[in-house]
């Protein structure tokens, strides 16, 4: 029988560099409250958000991805030609095909790197990190760029009280590459499709653009969310997933330096931290106050801020946990580059 060659990669994988792109337009709560009959006080109390950033027309998904990636590559000391694969986690590249990752890979100057998008909503970045780590260890890529990017302002109904104040835009990127010691722990991931309807685009694209035989509605298929059930699910179920990720990495909360959860709501972040009994000294990412909920971009953006502000230092051990539409979730322990 003919046997085919197997592949083997590096002994371990790590995050080698982190980059971010925050759009230039800062939108304080005062700018969103009138359309939804809300108040700065309500928004801050219920979500912890003080302001968010919405992209200008020229700050496209591609532009933000490339900018965040260039910083991540520079910090990792990796040239674009060394990148074998580009993974973009997003739900707001509004062309069904081709994947924006291909254009990003080209603009960065990779040598025909494999490139594809993944759709796991707010959990997309942690899914991408897990795929990248397995690629590096499995031998299908030497270095992988993982980008989380969103322009949620495009698909947010600014008159919807349940979402208009939450969602925001931005991009974060990491370079995943080989390492001598494990820098990315085993992933704990899954989905609860029974709750598929809790966060979703309201219309099907065919209803919006129409078909050859029927006209469409002509409105953007906005995101709708049943916030409270998602809030309750995230606050309780996700702490367990976080604990499982620690267990799989063979560590306890006492070994953690940083907690970098998806920036969905400050109260969810606090509830998870309480439930996991994180020691006081564990630093907690709270980028949501300034940045809003940027879905797939929120974790790399939050980690980037902690590194910039000196809260995260090289070698620190961080628990990442992401969750959102699907309901999909993923968590892993990583070390800060
Ligand atoms: O990123 C993907 C995952 N997403 C999430 O994890 C988001 C999870 N959900 C949330 O963050 C929260 O559910 C929200 C921040 C969206 C809402 O907070 P909540 O504590 O769940 O509020 P609620 O929907 O239960 O509404 C409470 C009250 C209601 O009034 P009554 O019935 O108590 O009189 C609402 O009508 O607040 C009212 N309300 C508002 N008031 C002012 C709802 N939206 C608004 C608003 N401004 N925008």
């Amino acid at each position: 029988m003919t046997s085919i060659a197997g592949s083997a990669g590096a002994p371990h994988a790590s995050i080698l560099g982190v980059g971010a792109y925050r759009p230039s337009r800062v939108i304080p709560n005062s700018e969103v409250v009138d359309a939804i009959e809300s108040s700065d006080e309500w928004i801050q109390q219920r979500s912890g958000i003080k302001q968010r950033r919405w992209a200008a027309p020229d700050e496209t998904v591609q532009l933000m991805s490339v900018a965040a990636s260039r910083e991540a590559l520079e910090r990792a000391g990796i040239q674009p030609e060394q990148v074998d694969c580009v993974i973009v986690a997003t739900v707001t590249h509004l062309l069904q095909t081709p994947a924006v990752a291909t254009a990003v890979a080209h603009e960065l100057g990779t040598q025909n790197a494999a490139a594809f998008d993944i759709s796991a909503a707010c959990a997309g970045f942690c899914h991408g990190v897990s795929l990248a780590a397995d690629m590096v260890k499995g031998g299908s890529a030497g270095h992988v760029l993982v980008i989380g990017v969103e322009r949620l302002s495009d698909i947010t109904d600014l008159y919807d009280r349940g979402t208009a104040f939450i969602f925001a835009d931005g991009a974060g990127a990491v370079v995943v590459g080989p390492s001598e010691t494990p820098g990315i722990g085993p992933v704990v991931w899954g989905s609860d499709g029974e709750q598929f309807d809790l966060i979703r685009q309201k219309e099907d694209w065919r209803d919006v653009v129409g078909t050859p035989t029927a006209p469409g509605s002509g409105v953007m298929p906005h995101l709708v969310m049943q916030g409270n059930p998602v809030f309750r699910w995230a606050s309780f179920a996700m702490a367990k997933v976080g604990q499982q990720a620690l267990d799989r990495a063979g560590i306890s909360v006492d070994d953690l330096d940083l907690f970098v959860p998806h920036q969905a709501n400050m109260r969810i972040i606090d509830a998870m931290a309480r439930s996991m009994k994180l020691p006081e000294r564990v630093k907690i990412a709270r980028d949501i106050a300034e940045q809003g909920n940027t879905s797939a971009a929120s974790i790399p953006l939050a980690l980037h801020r902690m590194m910039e502000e000196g809260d995260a230092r090289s070698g620190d051990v961080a628990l990442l946990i992401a969750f959102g539409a699907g309901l999909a979730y993923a968590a892993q322990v990583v070390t800060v580059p």
Side-chain angles (χ1 to χ4, degrees), residues 13 15 28 64 72 89 100 120 132 145 150 152 238 253 288 299:
I15 293 176
M64 295 193 288
V100 72
L145 250 177
E150 302 291 2
L152 287 162
M238 289 304 100
V253 286
I288 186 167
I299 287 181

Side-chain angles (χ1 to χ4, degrees), residues 135-289:
M135 285 177 179
V136 169
K137 290 183 287 183
S140 51
H143 294 93
V144 183
L145 250 177
V146 181
I147 302 158
V149 57
E150 302 291 2
R151 261 180 72 104
L152 287 162
S153 59
D154 281 339
I155 61 165
T156 301
D157 175 357
L158 302 185
Y159 294 89
D160 175 12
R161 295 184 101 196
T163 55
F165 63 95
I166 292 188
F167 292 127
D169 305 338
V174 296
V175 178
V176 174
S179 60
E180 290 303 319
T181 53
I184 299 174
V187 71
V188 174
W189 56 2
S191 64
D192 179 0
E194 200 181 339
Q195 309 204 67
F196 177 87
D197 274 343
L198 291 187
I199 313 173
R200 60 172 298 166
Q201 271 183 293
K202 204 157 61 177
E203 292 93 5
D204 186 302
W205 281 109
R206 285 164 296 193
D207 300 334
V208 171
V209 297
T211 62
T213 51
S217 66
V219 297
M220 175 63 81
H222 289 127
L223 264 187
V224 287
M225 175 169 72
Q226 295 177 47
N228 202 263
V230 178
F231 181 94
R232 282 184 274 117
W233 170 78
S235 300
F236 298 107
M238 289 304 100
K240 289 189 194 123
V241 170
Q243 185 56 52
Q244 286 165 12
L246 294 179
D247 294 345
R248 291 212 61 202
I251 66 168
S252 80
V253 286
D254 296 326
D255 304 305
L256 266 188
D257 300 300
L258 312 171
F259 179 47
V260 192
H262 169 45
Q263 304 289 292
N265 183 315
M266 200 69 92
R267 287 156 59 216
I268 296 177
I269 296 171
D270 288 334
M272 284 194 292
R274 269 196 310 274
S275 207
M276 293 185 66
K277 299 190 171 56
L278 295 186
E280 281 280 305
R281 49 161 208 87
V282 174
K283 298 198 176 104
I284 300 177
R286 298 187 182 282
D287 194 38
I288 186 167

Side-chain angles (χ1 to χ4, degrees), residues 59-111:
E59 291 174 308
T60 61
V61 164
Q62 183 176 333
L63 179 142
M64 295 193 288
S65 299
V66 168
S69 299
R70 286 202 172 119
E71 186 189 352
L73 286 168
E74 198 183 311
R75 287 179 183 249
I78 296 295
Q79 298 302 314
E81 310 86 70
Q82 294 172 267
V83 173
D84 298 315
C85 182
V86 176
I87 300 174
V88 176
T90 187
V91 293
T92 46
H93 169 57
L94 298 181
L95 289 182
Q96 213 70 42
T97 194
V100 72
T102 58
V104 172
H106 175 69
E107 193 179 338
L108 286 170
T110 69
Q111 303 294 304

